[in-house]
Amino acid sequence: MTTQKYFPYVNNKMFAEDVDLNDIAAQVGTPFYCYSNTAIGQNYQDYQQAFLAQETLICYAVKANGNQAVLSTLAKLGSGADVVSEGEIRRARAAGIPANKIVYSGVAKAESEIEYALAEGIFQFNVESEPELELINQVASRLNKTAAIALRINPDVCANTHAKISTGKSENKFGVPISKARLAYQQAAKLPNIKVQGVDVHIGSQLTQLAPFEEAYKRIAQLVTDLREDGHDISVIDIGGGLGITYHDESIPAKQAYADIAKAQLGHLHCKIVIEPGRSLLGNAGILVSSVVFVKTGEERQFLILDAGMNDLIRPSMYEAYHEILAVNKANSALKTYDVVGPVCETGDTFAKARQVSESKSGDLIAIMSCGAYGAVMASTYNTRMLAPEVMVKDNEFAVVRQRPNYQDVINADLVPDWV
Ligand SMILES: *Cc1c(COP(=O)(O)O)cnc(C)c1O
């Protein structure tokens, strides 16, 4: 069982920092997401500490959790942002992240998005293909601007993670193959409104080993040396994100060990290193709190049916992801084996099969752990279920940082033409 430092049990009740989750549930209703502000800050500072003495820009990967309270927390600590859409640039800017700390990744940047990013004056475009490079040059030329770019290099290494979140193999859609990189940089250097400044790599998410990072960075270091020989002025190496977290029993390398690998492979090149952590900043800083609706006895198994579903947290159905499932109040410590499921009309709406959880009854509170990243951001209103509210805790205070929408607003968002 993972230790949940920021979600401890106090007298058999789970707390978020110094707040009893029962109190939040009474006020906000279930299901709700709950984030620890202190955990986010600590994770950020651990990265800062790990990269001390190396010029580094930490660009939090906004797609992991884009809540404004999360982004503001990180902005105040000095974080930049790794974004994948105009919407995320707007979110980052609204939270006070300066444009010159924003890197823009993604395989399908639209012309209007490129225009917006150029007007804002972002630090760097992480370019994923030759056609994208051409388009950025065109837009920059029209706006009379210069776009600073890195090419995202696909180093063809295996990240040993889930296939759906592996990005650095040659069969993945991401980046320019490393074998074609020198040619692509030559082409980029010829474009008048492009300033080549860096090299970018991101090989996947939820990595539990350092070896794939090490191999990728080794290949990138060689490429930077080659590119400098070719006459390019490379001053930035963006090493992406991807360091995993403990969901179950994975042992994850410390941020310091990760930083040491990066510094060992890349330090001699004297570049600014950009890192793009998402999950490792937010994942263990958040949980999803739900109530048991029914306990149902099937022919072969017992079902713990929750009021949270796959629309609130899709990771178990989408990636077979494991999340720890704990009773918020564990006074009754007898364990029972349950299939823990949600209310959505899909068999895939299952959080865990044959899982040991404290014996529970209707109305009991259940915490699904490690949901701070890729939780709320991937939620939908499928089955016309309202998006779960988000709560942030700091010490003994809590605040709703996104409210539960109401039914009328959700229904009124649809428009019926008068010819229907
Ligand atoms: C998703 C993503 C990240 C963040 O990945 P984590 O595994 O959450 O750290 C960083 N960079 C890029 C380009 C991404 O697509």
Side-chain angles (χ1 to χ4, degrees):
M1 191 180 287
T2 58
T3 52
Q4 298 284 353
K5 187 171 166 196
Y6 299 97
F7 300 95
Y9 281 104
V10 180
N11 298 327
N12 284 329
K13 292 165 189 241
M14 192 186 289
F15 276 53
E17 302 198 26
D18 301 327
V19 180
D20 187 338
L21 288 169
N22 291 282
D23 294 343
I24 303 178
Q27 194 167 319
V28 176
T30 57
F32 64 92
Y33 277 96
C34 181
Y35 309 130
S36 158
N37 181 276
T38 305
I40 298 167
Q42 188 63 56
N43 287 335
Y44 181 84
Q45 280 158 1
D46 287 349
Y47 267 116
Q48 265 187 326
Q49 185 64 32
F51 279 92
L52 212 64
Q54 158 66 50
E55 190 192 356
T56 306
L57 176 61
I58 303 175
C59 289
Y60 165 60
V62 173
K63 75 174 192 280
N65 185 326
N67 188 288
Q68 290 301 119
V70 168
L71 296 179
S72 297
T73 299
L74 290 165
K76 293 210 168 86
L77 292 167
S79 184
D82 166 48
V83 302
V84 293
S85 68
E86 177 177 336
E88 287 190 354
I89 300 175
R90 288 178 182 270
R91 275 195 177 279
R93 298 289 292 118
I97 295 175
N100 66 7
K101 288 185 180 174
I102 294 178
V103 296
Y104 184 6
S105 308
V107 292
K109 301 175 187 78
E111 186 164 347
S112 58
E113 294 184 302
I114 293 167
E115 201 171 307
Y116 183 78
L118 279 168
E120 283 292 291
I122 64 164
F123 175 66
Q124 175 170 294
F125 288 86
N126 288 338
V127 178
E128 303 237 9
S129 65
E130 288 89 345
E132 182 192 330
L133 195 57
E134 300 280 350
L135 181 59
I136 293 174
N137 182 58
Q138 259 176 43
V139 178
S141 159
R142 175 153 49 76
L143 299 181
N144 206 11
K145 299 215 177 241
T146 302
I149 68 110
L151 289 182
R152 176 168 177 179
I153 302 303
N154 186 323
D156 194 22
V157 301
C158 180
N160 289 331
T161 184
H162 190 281
K164 282 186 185 156
I165 48 175
S166 175
T167 57
K169 281 293 286 174
S170 56
E171 71 253 31
N172 300 132
K173 70 179 174 184
F174 299 97
V176 175
I178 194 158
S179 56
K180 289 171 68 185
R182 288 176 85 165
L183 205 62
Y185 272 90
Q186 256 177 33
Q187 190 191 339
K190 286 191 201 134
L191 299 172
N193 294 73
I194 294 288
K195 177 188 164 219
V196 170
Q197 71 176 22
V199 175
D200 168 48
V201 66
H202 171 76
I203 58 174
S205 200
Q206 183 54 16
L207 271 73
T208 58
Q209 299 159 334
L210 291 178
F213 288 122
E214 189 169 29
E215 186 54 38
Y217 301 162
K218 194 175 286 178
R219 292 182 191 188
I220 292 302
Q222 183 57 51
L223 177 62
V224 170
T225 305
D226 293 346
L227 292 174
R228 284 178 170 168
E229 266 172 33
D230 293 348
H232 303 288
D233 184 10
I234 304 294
S235 60
V236 177
I237 303 175
D238 182 336
I239 62 173
L243 188 61
I245 62 165
T246 299
Y247 285 102
H248 184 199
D249 51 10
E250 309 91 331
S251 77
I252 303 294
K255 293 180 180 71
Q256 186 65 60
Y258 166 78
D260 288 346
I261 292 268
K263 286 187 275 188
Q265 295 301 326
L266 304 168
H268 64 285
L269 297 165
H270 303 292
C271 286
K272 177 197 274 240
I273 291 187
V274 176
I275 64 171
E276 304 172 343
R279 191 189 311 270
S280 52
L281 285 179
L282 258 295
N284 280 335
I287 63 174
L288 175 61
V289 179
S290 177
S291 298
V292 175
V293 182
F294 299 116
V295 181
K296 176 173 164 180
T297 306
E299 274 184 354
E300 292 170 16
R301 46 188 82 199
Q302 291 249 66
F303 294 97
L304 202 57
I305 307 179
L306 306 183
D307 66 359
M310 65 188 285
N311 71 296
D312 300 302
L313 176 69
I314 204 172
R315 300 190 67 262
S317 10
M318 189 152 160
Y319 315 115
E320 294 91 43
Y322 182 102
H323 286 267
E324 222 180 320
I325 297 175
L326 300 172
V328 168
N329 302 297
K330 58 173 189 182
N332 177 1
S333 58
L335 292 178
K336 277 199 91 161
T337 303
Y338 295 105
D339 279 11
V340 184
V341 303
V344 171
C345 302
E346 302 249 0
T347 303
D349 186 21
T350 298
F351 292 117
K353 288 200 163 139
R355 185 72 67 83
Q356 300 252 297
V357 184
S358 289
E359 183 161 16
S360 302
K361 58 182 188 315
S362 174
D364 285 355
L365 293 178
I366 297 288
I368 305 180
M369 308 307 285
S370 307
C371 291
Y374 307 107
V377 278
M378 294 176 92
S380 77
T381 56
Y382 187 39
N383 280 207
T384 308
R385 291 166 40 76
M386 298 299 98
L387 291 178
E390 294 168 79
V391 171
M392 185 176 276
V393 174
K394 183 174 183 154
D395 302 327
N396 60 1
E397 285 187 89
F398 76 92
V400 174
V401 295
R402 190 179 68 192
Q403 285 187 319
R404 194 187 305 280
N406 68 57
Y407 288 117
Q408 211 49 54
D409 289 346
V410 168
I411 293 168
N412 286 348
D414 298 352
L415 301 172
V416 183
D418 56 13
W419 39 260
V420 164

mmCIF file of all heavy atoms in Angstrom, residues 38-78:
data_model
loop_
_atom_site.group_PDB
_atom_site.id
_atom_site.type_symbol
_atom_site.label_atom_id
_atom_site.label_comp_id
_atom_site.label_asym_id
_atom_site.label_seq_id
_atom_site.Cartn_x
_atom_site.Cartn_y
_atom_site.Cartn_z
ATOM 1 N N THR A 38 -0.340 21.690 -0.643
ATOM 2 C CA THR A 38 1.018 21.476 -0.117
ATOM 3 C C THR A 38 1.750 20.403 -0.914
ATOM 4 O O THR A 38 2.944 20.525 -1.196
ATOM 5 C CB THR A 38 0.943 21.083 1.369
ATOM 6 O OG1 THR A 38 0.196 22.096 2.061
ATOM 7 C CG2 THR A 38 2.318 20.963 1.978
ATOM 8 N N ALA A 39 1.030 19.359 -1.309
ATOM 9 C CA ALA A 39 1.661 18.289 -2.095
ATOM 10 C C ALA A 39 2.145 18.820 -3.438
ATOM 11 O O ALA A 39 3.252 18.494 -3.886
ATOM 12 C CB ALA A 39 0.668 17.143 -2.298
ATOM 13 N N ILE A 40 1.326 19.637 -4.075
ATOM 14 C CA ILE A 40 1.719 20.195 -5.379
ATOM 15 C C ILE A 40 2.990 21.028 -5.215
ATOM 16 O O ILE A 40 3.953 20.881 -5.977
ATOM 17 C CB ILE A 40 0.579 21.064 -5.970
ATOM 18 C CG1 ILE A 40 -0.672 20.214 -6.220
ATOM 19 C CG2 ILE A 40 1.037 21.749 -7.258
ATOM 20 C CD1 ILE A 40 -1.936 21.027 -6.504
ATOM 21 N N GLY A 41 2.988 21.874 -4.189
ATOM 22 C CA GLY A 41 4.150 22.730 -3.939
ATOM 23 C C GLY A 41 5.401 21.916 -3.646
ATOM 24 O O GLY A 41 6.490 22.199 -4.147
ATOM 25 N N GLN A 42 5.227 20.868 -2.851
ATOM 26 C CA GLN A 42 6.366 20.032 -2.488
ATOM 27 C C GLN A 42 6.938 19.319 -3.714
ATOM 28 O O GLN A 42 8.158 19.274 -3.923
ATOM 29 C CB GLN A 42 5.951 19.001 -1.427
ATOM 30 C CG GLN A 42 7.121 18.219 -0.863
ATOM 31 C CD GLN A 42 8.109 19.124 -0.139
ATOM 32 O OE1 GLN A 42 7.735 19.852 0.779
ATOM 33 N NE2 GLN A 42 9.370 19.096 -0.567
ATOM 34 N N ASN A 43 6.045 18.773 -4.537
ATOM 35 C CA ASN A 43 6.512 18.090 -5.750
ATOM 36 C C ASN A 43 7.290 19.048 -6.655
ATOM 37 O O ASN A 43 8.318 18.693 -7.239
ATOM 38 C CB ASN A 43 5.330 17.493 -6.518
ATOM 39 C CG ASN A 43 4.755 16.272 -5.818
ATOM 40 O OD1 ASN A 43 5.448 15.593 -5.063
ATOM 41 N ND2 ASN A 43 3.489 15.988 -6.055
ATOM 42 N N TYR A 44 6.769 20.272 -6.773
ATOM 43 C CA TYR A 44 7.454 21.267 -7.605
ATOM 44 C C TYR A 44 8.844 21.570 -7.038
ATOM 45 O O TYR A 44 9.840 21.591 -7.761
ATOM 46 C CB TYR A 44 6.614 22.545 -7.696
ATOM 47 C CG TYR A 44 7.258 23.601 -8.558
ATOM 48 C CD1 TYR A 44 7.090 23.589 -9.944
ATOM 49 C CD2 TYR A 44 8.083 24.578 -8.013
ATOM 50 C CE1 TYR A 44 7.702 24.530 -10.749
ATOM 51 C CE2 TYR A 44 8.713 25.520 -8.807
ATOM 52 C CZ TYR A 44 8.511 25.496 -10.170
ATOM 53 O OH TYR A 44 9.136 26.425 -10.976
ATOM 54 N N GLN A 45 8.874 21.789 -5.716
ATOM 55 C CA GLN A 45 10.150 22.147 -5.099
ATOM 56 C C GLN A 45 11.156 20.994 -5.150
ATOM 57 O O GLN A 45 12.357 21.223 -5.251
ATOM 58 C CB GLN A 45 9.926 22.645 -3.678
ATOM 59 C CG GLN A 45 9.464 24.094 -3.709
ATOM 60 C CD GLN A 45 8.716 24.544 -2.474
ATOM 61 O OE1 GLN A 45 8.536 23.766 -1.529
ATOM 62 N NE2 GLN A 45 8.265 25.790 -2.474
ATOM 63 N N ASP A 46 10.651 19.769 -5.129
ATOM 64 C CA ASP A 46 11.548 18.618 -5.278
ATOM 65 C C ASP A 46 12.251 18.657 -6.646
ATOM 66 O O ASP A 46 13.430 18.327 -6.757
ATOM 67 C CB ASP A 46 10.777 17.300 -5.134
ATOM 68 C CG ASP A 46 10.373 17.030 -3.687
ATOM 69 O OD1 ASP A 46 10.855 17.740 -2.774
ATOM 70 O OD2 ASP A 46 9.557 16.107 -3.466
ATOM 71 N N TYR A 47 11.516 19.039 -7.677
ATOM 72 C CA TYR A 47 12.141 19.167 -9.004
ATOM 73 C C TYR A 47 13.167 20.289 -9.011
ATOM 74 O O TYR A 47 14.278 20.144 -9.530
ATOM 75 C CB TYR A 47 11.090 19.429 -10.093
ATOM 76 C CG TYR A 47 10.592 18.162 -10.751
ATOM 77 C CD1 TYR A 47 9.263 17.774 -10.634
ATOM 78 C CD2 TYR A 47 11.443 17.354 -11.508
ATOM 79 C CE1 TYR A 47 8.794 16.610 -11.242
ATOM 80 C CE2 TYR A 47 10.990 16.194 -12.123
ATOM 81 C CZ TYR A 47 9.663 15.832 -11.985
ATOM 82 O OH TYR A 47 9.219 14.689 -12.586
ATOM 83 N N GLN A 48 12.788 21.437 -8.414
ATOM 84 C CA GLN A 48 13.722 22.571 -8.359
ATOM 85 C C GLN A 48 15.022 22.157 -7.696
ATOM 86 O O GLN A 48 16.108 22.431 -8.190
ATOM 87 C CB GLN A 48 13.092 23.690 -7.519
ATOM 88 C CG GLN A 48 12.376 24.718 -8.325
ATOM 89 C CD GLN A 48 11.937 25.875 -7.437
ATOM 90 O OE1 GLN A 48 11.591 25.703 -6.275
ATOM 91 N NE2 GLN A 48 11.933 27.069 -8.001
ATOM 92 N N GLN A 49 14.857 21.492 -6.560
ATOM 93 C CA GLN A 49 16.003 21.043 -5.783
ATOM 94 C C GLN A 49 16.853 20.065 -6.597
ATOM 95 O O GLN A 49 18.084 20.165 -6.643
ATOM 96 C CB GLN A 49 15.486 20.372 -4.499
ATOM 97 C CG GLN A 49 16.552 19.962 -3.518
ATOM 98 C CD GLN A 49 17.325 21.159 -2.971
ATOM 99 O OE1 GLN A 49 16.762 22.247 -2.826
ATOM 100 N NE2 GLN A 49 18.616 20.971 -2.728
ATOM 101 N N ALA A 50 16.175 19.147 -7.287
ATOM 102 C CA ALA A 50 16.883 18.104 -8.032
ATOM 103 C C ALA A 50 17.726 18.691 -9.165
ATOM 104 O O ALA A 50 18.775 18.154 -9.502
ATOM 105 C CB ALA A 50 15.887 17.082 -8.580
ATOM 106 N N PHE A 51 17.255 19.788 -9.746
ATOM 107 C CA PHE A 51 17.961 20.373 -10.893
ATOM 108 C C PHE A 51 18.808 21.580 -10.502
ATOM 109 O O PHE A 51 19.298 22.301 -11.368
ATOM 110 C CB PHE A 51 16.964 20.749 -11.997
ATOM 111 C CG PHE A 51 16.554 19.573 -12.842
ATOM 112 C CD1 PHE A 51 15.432 18.828 -12.520
ATOM 113 C CD2 PHE A 51 17.294 19.206 -13.962
ATOM 114 C CE1 PHE A 51 15.052 17.731 -13.303
ATOM 115 C CE2 PHE A 51 16.926 18.121 -14.746
ATOM 116 C CZ PHE A 51 15.801 17.380 -14.409
ATOM 117 N N LEU A 52 18.969 21.798 -9.191
ATOM 118 C CA LEU A 52 19.755 22.923 -8.702
ATOM 119 C C LEU A 52 21.107 22.966 -9.424
ATOM 120 O O LEU A 52 21.699 21.943 -9.713
ATOM 121 C CB LEU A 52 19.985 22.730 -7.196
ATOM 122 C CG LEU A 52 20.068 23.988 -6.347
ATOM 123 C CD1 LEU A 52 18.738 24.732 -6.373
ATOM 124 C CD2 LEU A 52 20.424 23.612 -4.910
ATOM 125 N N ALA A 53 21.583 24.151 -9.714
ATOM 126 C CA ALA A 53 22.895 24.354 -10.341
ATOM 127 C C ALA A 53 22.895 24.028 -11.827
ATOM 128 O O ALA A 53 23.914 24.152 -12.502
ATOM 129 C CB ALA A 53 24.006 23.563 -9.637
ATOM 130 N N GLN A 54 21.765 23.607 -12.364
ATOM 131 C CA GLN A 54 21.641 23.414 -13.810
ATOM 132 C C GLN A 54 20.566 24.407 -14.260
ATOM 133 O O GLN A 54 19.485 24.447 -13.672
ATOM 134 C CB GLN A 54 21.208 21.963 -14.103
ATOM 135 C CG GLN A 54 20.536 21.737 -15.454
ATOM 136 C CD GLN A 54 21.458 21.961 -16.636
ATOM 137 O OE1 GLN A 54 22.569 21.440 -16.691
ATOM 138 N NE2 GLN A 54 21.004 22.778 -17.599
ATOM 139 N N GLU A 55 20.868 25.232 -15.252
ATOM 140 C CA GLU A 55 19.858 26.181 -15.722
ATOM 141 C C GLU A 55 18.654 25.394 -16.240
ATOM 142 O O GLU A 55 18.778 24.623 -17.195
ATOM 143 C CB GLU A 55 20.431 27.080 -16.828
ATOM 144 C CG GLU A 55 19.502 28.225 -17.151
ATOM 145 C CD GLU A 55 19.877 28.971 -18.433
ATOM 146 O OE1 GLU A 55 20.914 28.654 -19.051
ATOM 147 O OE2 GLU A 55 19.082 29.844 -18.821
ATOM 148 N N THR A 56 17.528 25.553 -15.578
ATOM 149 C CA THR A 56 16.363 24.701 -15.859
ATOM 150 C C THR A 56 15.097 25.529 -15.878
ATOM 151 O O THR A 56 14.928 26.441 -15.069
ATOM 152 C CB THR A 56 16.215 23.616 -14.759
ATOM 153 O OG1 THR A 56 17.447 22.906 -14.644
ATOM 154 C CG2 THR A 56 15.114 22.629 -15.101
ATOM 155 N N LEU A 57 14.210 25.217 -16.813
ATOM 156 C CA LEU A 57 12.865 25.808 -16.796
ATOM 157 C C LEU A 57 11.876 24.663 -16.613
ATOM 158 O O LEU A 57 11.822 23.740 -17.428
ATOM 159 C CB LEU A 57 12.591 26.557 -18.113
ATOM 160 C CG LEU A 57 11.187 27.153 -18.266
ATOM 161 C CD1 LEU A 57 10.895 28.188 -17.178
ATOM 162 C CD2 LEU A 57 11.037 27.791 -19.648
ATOM 163 N N ILE A 58 11.138 24.710 -15.495
ATOM 164 C CA ILE A 58 10.126 23.685 -15.249
ATOM 165 C C ILE A 58 8.838 24.151 -15.910
ATOM 166 O O ILE A 58 8.271 25.184 -15.532
ATOM 167 C CB ILE A 58 9.909 23.465 -13.735
ATOM 168 C CG1 ILE A 58 11.238 23.087 -13.049
ATOM 169 C CG2 ILE A 58 8.849 22.392 -13.500
ATOM 170 C CD1 ILE A 58 11.152 22.977 -11.530
ATOM 171 N N CYS A 59 8.399 23.424 -16.916
ATOM 172 C CA CYS A 59 7.159 23.757 -17.614
ATOM 173 C C CYS A 59 6.125 22.684 -17.296
ATOM 174 O O CYS A 59 6.111 21.612 -17.927
ATOM 175 C CB CYS A 59 7.400 23.842 -19.124
ATOM 176 S SG CYS A 59 8.372 25.282 -19.600
ATOM 177 N N TYR A 60 5.284 22.957 -16.324
ATOM 178 C CA TYR A 60 4.255 22.000 -15.918
ATOM 179 C C TYR A 60 3.351 21.647 -17.116
ATOM 180 O O TYR A 60 2.887 22.540 -17.835
ATOM 181 C CB TYR A 60 3.425 22.614 -14.775
ATOM 182 C CG TYR A 60 2.140 21.883 -14.519
ATOM 183 C CD1 TYR A 60 2.156 20.541 -14.151
ATOM 184 C CD2 TYR A 60 0.914 22.515 -14.678
ATOM 185 C CE1 TYR A 60 0.964 19.844 -13.950
ATOM 186 C CE2 TYR A 60 -0.275 21.835 -14.462
ATOM 187 C CZ TYR A 60 -0.246 20.500 -14.102
ATOM 188 O OH TYR A 60 -1.411 19.819 -13.907
ATOM 189 N N ALA A 61 3.135 20.360 -17.323
ATOM 190 C CA ALA A 61 2.284 19.904 -18.439
ATOM 191 C C ALA A 61 0.811 20.101 -18.057
ATOM 192 O O ALA A 61 0.224 19.302 -17.331
ATOM 193 C CB ALA A 61 2.563 18.437 -18.759
ATOM 194 N N VAL A 62 0.243 21.181 -18.572
ATOM 195 C CA VAL A 62 -1.098 21.624 -18.170
ATOM 196 C C VAL A 62 -2.152 20.555 -18.413
ATOM 197 O O VAL A 62 -3.149 20.468 -17.696
ATOM 198 C CB VAL A 62 -1.463 22.932 -18.915
ATOM 199 C CG1 VAL A 62 -2.898 23.350 -18.661
ATOM 200 C CG2 VAL A 62 -0.498 24.051 -18.506
ATOM 201 N N LYS A 63 -1.931 19.692 -19.405
ATOM 202 C CA LYS A 63 -2.975 18.717 -19.719
ATOM 203 C C LYS A 63 -3.230 17.738 -18.574
ATOM 204 O O LYS A 63 -4.299 17.135 -18.499
ATOM 205 C CB LYS A 63 -2.663 17.964 -21.018
ATOM 206 C CG LYS A 63 -1.580 16.908 -20.920
ATOM 207 C CD LYS A 63 -1.502 16.155 -22.265
ATOM 208 C CE LYS A 63 -0.664 14.908 -22.189
ATOM 209 N NZ LYS A 63 0.778 15.174 -22.258
ATOM 210 N N ALA A 64 -2.282 17.613 -17.639
ATOM 211 C CA ALA A 64 -2.484 16.686 -16.518
ATOM 212 C C ALA A 64 -3.578 17.176 -15.573
ATOM 213 O O ALA A 64 -4.313 16.361 -14.983
ATOM 214 C CB ALA A 64 -1.180 16.492 -15.752
ATOM 215 N N ASN A 65 -3.664 18.500 -15.414
ATOM 216 C CA ASN A 65 -4.702 19.090 -14.557
ATOM 217 C C ASN A 65 -4.666 20.594 -14.780
ATOM 218 O O ASN A 65 -3.720 21.251 -14.358
ATOM 219 C CB ASN A 65 -4.456 18.769 -13.077
ATOM 220 C CG ASN A 65 -5.578 19.260 -12.180
ATOM 221 O OD1 ASN A 65 -6.184 20.308 -12.448
ATOM 222 N ND2 ASN A 65 -5.858 18.523 -11.131
ATOM 223 N N GLY A 66 -5.656 21.120 -15.460
ATOM 224 C CA GLY A 66 -5.621 22.528 -15.868
ATOM 225 C C GLY A 66 -6.411 23.453 -14.969
ATOM 226 O O GLY A 66 -6.653 24.608 -15.335
ATOM 227 N N ASN A 67 -6.819 22.972 -13.799
ATOM 228 C CA ASN A 67 -7.603 23.843 -12.924
ATOM 229 C C ASN A 67 -6.833 25.128 -12.605
ATOM 230 O O ASN A 67 -5.632 25.091 -12.331
ATOM 231 C CB ASN A 67 -7.968 23.098 -11.632
ATOM 232 C CG ASN A 67 -8.947 23.904 -10.790
ATOM 233 O OD1 ASN A 67 -8.584 24.912 -10.189
ATOM 234 N ND2 ASN A 67 -10.188 23.471 -10.771
ATOM 235 N N GLN A 68 -7.530 26.237 -12.634
ATOM 236 C CA GLN A 68 -6.869 27.536 -12.422
ATOM 237 C C GLN A 68 -6.197 27.625 -11.053
ATOM 238 O O GLN A 68 -5.178 28.303 -10.902
ATOM 239 C CB GLN A 68 -7.879 28.676 -12.586
ATOM 240 C CG GLN A 68 -8.351 28.892 -14.024
ATOM 241 C CD GLN A 68 -7.230 29.204 -14.990
ATOM 242 O OE1 GLN A 68 -6.988 28.485 -15.951
ATOM 243 N NE2 GLN A 68 -6.509 30.279 -14.738
ATOM 244 N N ALA A 69 -6.762 26.973 -10.060
ATOM 245 C CA ALA A 69 -6.149 27.019 -8.727
ATOM 246 C C ALA A 69 -4.830 26.242 -8.731
ATOM 247 O O ALA A 69 -3.865 26.626 -8.064
ATOM 248 C CB ALA A 69 -7.103 26.452 -7.682
ATOM 249 N N VAL A 70 -4.785 25.157 -9.491
ATOM 250 C CA VAL A 70 -3.549 24.381 -9.628
ATOM 251 C C VAL A 70 -2.504 25.219 -10.370
ATOM 252 O O VAL A 70 -1.347 25.338 -9.943
ATOM 253 C CB VAL A 70 -3.819 23.067 -10.393
ATOM 254 C CG1 VAL A 70 -2.524 22.391 -10.812
ATOM 255 C CG2 VAL A 70 -4.689 22.130 -9.554
ATOM 256 N N LEU A 71 -2.927 25.812 -11.481
ATOM 257 C CA LEU A 71 -1.979 26.598 -12.287
ATOM 258 C C LEU A 71 -1.486 27.818 -11.514
ATOM 259 O O LEU A 71 -0.308 28.178 -11.596
ATOM 260 C CB LEU A 71 -2.640 27.027 -13.606
ATOM 261 C CG LEU A 71 -3.037 25.886 -14.546
ATOM 262 C CD1 LEU A 71 -3.693 26.439 -15.810
ATOM 263 C CD2 LEU A 71 -1.824 25.043 -14.924
ATOM 264 N N SER A 72 -2.379 28.448 -10.755
ATOM 265 C CA SER A 72 -1.955 29.617 -9.968
ATOM 266 C C SER A 72 -0.947 29.218 -8.897
ATOM 267 O O SER A 72 0.022 29.947 -8.643
ATOM 268 C CB SER A 72 -3.162 30.278 -9.296
ATOM 269 O OG SER A 72 -4.043 30.756 -10.271
ATOM 270 N N THR A 73 -1.181 28.073 -8.276
ATOM 271 C CA THR A 73 -0.239 27.562 -7.278
ATOM 272 C C THR A 73 1.151 27.432 -7.895
ATOM 273 O O THR A 73 2.159 27.883 -7.338
ATOM 274 C CB THR A 73 -0.691 26.176 -6.772
ATOM 275 O OG1 THR A 73 -1.979 26.310 -6.170
ATOM 276 C CG2 THR A 73 0.281 25.582 -5.778
ATOM 277 N N LEU A 74 1.200 26.826 -9.078
ATOM 278 C CA LEU A 74 2.492 26.594 -9.729
ATOM 279 C C LEU A 74 3.079 27.892 -10.270
ATOM 280 O O LEU A 74 4.299 28.104 -10.211
ATOM 281 C CB LEU A 74 2.324 25.539 -10.833
ATOM 282 C CG LEU A 74 2.053 24.133 -10.274
ATOM 283 C CD1 LEU A 74 1.544 23.200 -11.355
ATOM 284 C CD2 LEU A 74 3.322 23.561 -9.633
ATOM 285 N N ALA A 75 2.223 28.771 -10.779
ATOM 286 C CA ALA A 75 2.703 30.064 -11.300
ATOM 287 C C ALA A 75 3.430 30.820 -10.194
ATOM 288 O O ALA A 75 4.505 31.390 -10.409
ATOM 289 C CB ALA A 75 1.538 30.889 -11.835
ATOM 290 N N LYS A 76 2.849 30.816 -9.002
ATOM 291 C CA LYS A 76 3.456 31.573 -7.885
ATOM 292 C C LYS A 76 4.799 30.992 -7.481
ATOM 293 O O LYS A 76 5.653 31.685 -6.926
ATOM 294 C CB LYS A 76 2.514 31.587 -6.684
ATOM 295 C CG LYS A 76 1.251 32.382 -6.991
ATOM 296 C CD LYS A 76 0.654 33.038 -5.761
ATOM 297 C CE LYS A 76 -0.408 34.039 -6.169
ATOM 298 N NZ LYS A 76 -1.738 33.441 -6.348
ATOM 299 N N LEU A 77 5.002 29.704 -7.757
ATOM 300 C CA LEU A 77 6.292 29.079 -7.439
ATOM 301 C C LEU A 77 7.313 29.313 -8.552
ATOM 302 O O LEU A 77 8.460 28.886 -8.453
ATOM 303 C CB LEU A 77 6.092 27.579 -7.210
ATOM 304 C CG LEU A 77 5.283 27.220 -5.953
ATOM 305 C CD1 LEU A 77 4.868 25.758 -5.981
ATOM 306 C CD2 LEU A 77 6.083 27.531 -4.705
ATOM 307 N N GLY A 78 6.858 29.931 -9.641
ATOM 308 C CA GLY A 78 7.775 30.239 -10.733
ATOM 309 C C GLY A 78 7.694 29.292 -11.908
ATOM 310 O O GLY A 78 8.512 29.353 -12.829
#
